[in-house]
Amino acid sequence: VLSKRHEHLGAEHPHTLVTLMSIGNVFLDQEKFDDALAAYENVRTIQKRVLGAEHLDTLITTTNIAMTLQHQSKDQESEVLFRDVIGVQQRVLGPEHPATLETRHSLCGALY
C-alpha cells in the first residue's frame, strides 16, 4: 500500500503520510521500536517541511516519537520531546485543551 501511495500520490501526500504513520504504529505494537522510530522520524521530517513544526499533525508525530523513546527507556530524550510539544500546545491550543492535557499525562510516564 505504501509503495503504491508513494508512486501515485507522492511522498508528501497526506494519505502517504497516514500510511507510513500506521506502519510505525504497527511496529510499535510489535515492539519493533527502532523500526517504529524510523517510520515516525520519516513522517515528521516531511511534516515539518510541508506543514511546519507547530502543526497539530507534526506535534502528534513528535508525541509518537517521544512515546517510542519512552518504550526504549530513553526517558531523558522522551522528556525533552514531550516538553517541547507541551510548550507549543499550551501556546497554540491552550493549557486546558485535551491534547495538551493528554501530552502532559504522557510526560508523567517519562518522569516515573
Side-chain angles (χ1 to χ4, degrees):
V1 173
L2 179 62
S3 63
K4 290 292 182 188
R5 287 196 172 177
H6 191 274
E7 177 184 338
H8 294 286
L9 302 174
E12 297 179 353
H13 191 279
H15 294 299
T16 305
L17 295 177
V18 166
T19 301
L20 186 54
M21 181 71 85
S22 295
I23 290 169
N25 293 340
V26 169
F27 284 141
L28 184 63
D29 289 342
Q30 294 174 341
E31 298 185 1
K32 296 180 179 179
F33 302 124
D34 290 335
D35 293 330
L37 197 58
Y40 294 147
E41 289 283 4
N42 189 3
V43 171
R44 186 173 69 158
T45 298
I46 294 169
Q47 288 173 327
K48 280 183 170 181
R49 185 174 62 251
V50 175
L51 303 173
E54 296 187 356
H55 189 278
L56 184 58
D57 289 346
T58 308
L59 296 175
I60 291 168
T61 304
T62 303
T63 299
N64 287 349
I65 292 168
M67 290 189 320
T68 304
L69 292 169
Q70 189 177 0
H71 284 295
Q72 293 178 307
S73 298
K74 297 178 180 178
D75 295 329
Q76 289 179 340
E77 293 174 60
S78 177
E79 178 185 351
V80 168
L81 289 178
F82 279 132
R83 288 188 187 279
D84 288 346
V85 170
I86 290 167
V88 175
Q89 287 174 326
Q90 286 180 336
R91 192 175 72 257
V92 175
L93 302 174
E96 301 299 321
H97 189 278
T100 306
L101 296 174
E102 185 176 336
T103 307
R104 290 173 75 184
H105 180 311
S106 297
L107 171 62
C108 291
L111 297 175
Y112 293 103

